[in-house]
Amino acid sequence: TWGTTGYGYNAGMVSEALPDAPVDSWALLLDPATAEQLAGCGLSILDAPTEVFGIVMAYLGKDPLSNETSDVELFEEHMLKLRPSIKYFHSSQNINDLANGEICVSMGWSGDMLIARDRASEADNGIEVNYVIPKEGAVVWVDNLAIPADAPHPENAHLFINYLMEPEVIAAVSNYVFYANGNAASMEFVDDEVKSDPAIYPPEAVKANLFPDLADDRKFTRALTRAWTTIKTGK
């Protein structure tokens, strides 16, 4: 399966706090001035430094695939301006918090943000959650299955993977978790509301603006790890 890293937002809370909010842009979450205005209703960032780095670089008009430590310095500088407005850094708490109105904007993985949207809808609590793939671009990611080199039954693992990639089976996965899948033959079995949702299956123009989260070299990784610690602690 595959998806994107964008943001979910509470339409009512954001509109009330900021009537002219830029709800098509990373500026909603990454512009320090905008974030300060929305801080009262709660902002969250994924605890995923490499993804956040690429997203911030894209927002700043830089190369999201950069491996330059000088860009890590730029990233840290920008995030520290933003830090006072961020409620927390977490990669799963945002689902319930967004659905319950505990936060109003959250960077998140597409499927998680759509689960938050549906939980709010099912709870009939008056909360409308929208998911956005911002115009500046976003991370595209792929969930994989891997077989350990010393697995005792690799043949069974291959059988299981082959089973999952059967069109009807992987379509059922997409219908349940709201993640796109990599089997074109599955589309006839994917629910219309899933395959027609641009948040799940983005149009070509949007896909052209997505970028991967690639592996980094050790020097860059060390620099980013130090910067991320500084950013999360705010000091």
Side-chain angles (χ1 to χ4, degrees), residues 29-209:
L29 187 58
L30 299 182
D31 176 10
T34 301
E36 185 177 4
Q37 291 177 277
L38 293 172
C41 62
L43 307 179
S44 80
I45 298 282
L46 286 173
D47 191 4
T50 59
E51 289 192 54
V52 180
F53 171 81
I55 286 167
V56 170
M57 288 295 104
Y59 170 66
L60 295 176
K62 300 287 188 176
D63 180 8
L65 305 181
S66 170
N67 242 217
E68 300 295 328
T69 54
S70 58
D71 284 332
V72 174
E73 294 172 10
L74 177 64
F75 169 68
E76 181 179 337
E77 179 183 338
H78 183 83
M79 289 299 293
L80 286 175
K81 294 177 186 175
L82 197 66
R83 181 64 185 90
S85 301
I86 302 303
K87 186 172 184 177
Y88 61 74
F89 293 80
H90 203 278
S91 297
S92 59
Q93 184 179 339
N94 54 356
I95 301 174
N96 281 333
D97 283 357
L98 197 56
N100 296 334
E102 297 294 326
I103 56 176
C104 63
V105 186
S106 178
M107 181 186 293
W109 297 307
S110 51
D112 288 355
M113 297 296 91
L114 296 173
I115 289 170
R117 177 193 69 183
D118 283 10
R119 284 185 184 173
S121 177
E122 290 164 5
D124 196 21
N125 56 10
I127 292 174
E128 177 188 347
V129 173
N130 295 324
Y131 176 70
V132 176
I133 302 173
K135 61 185 180 182
E136 296 89 355
V139 172
V140 58
W141 44 261
V142 180
D143 281 344
N144 297 280
L145 291 172
I147 305 172
D150 60 350
H153 304 291
E155 298 85 1
N156 286 348
H158 281 288
L159 287 171
F160 178 64
I161 292 171
N162 288 343
Y163 167 75
L164 281 178
M165 287 307 295
E166 288 291 330
E168 291 188 61
V169 175
I170 198 63
V173 173
S174 290
N175 293 336
Y176 186 75
V177 299
F178 306 127
Y179 286 175
N181 74 74
N183 188 345
S186 75
M187 294 305 288
E188 65 177 297
F189 306 108
V190 175
D191 292 344
D192 288 341
E193 64 177 350
V194 173
K195 63 186 174 188
S196 65
D197 190 335
I200 303 173
Y201 284 95
E204 291 301 322
V206 174
K207 286 199 286 186
N209 214 21

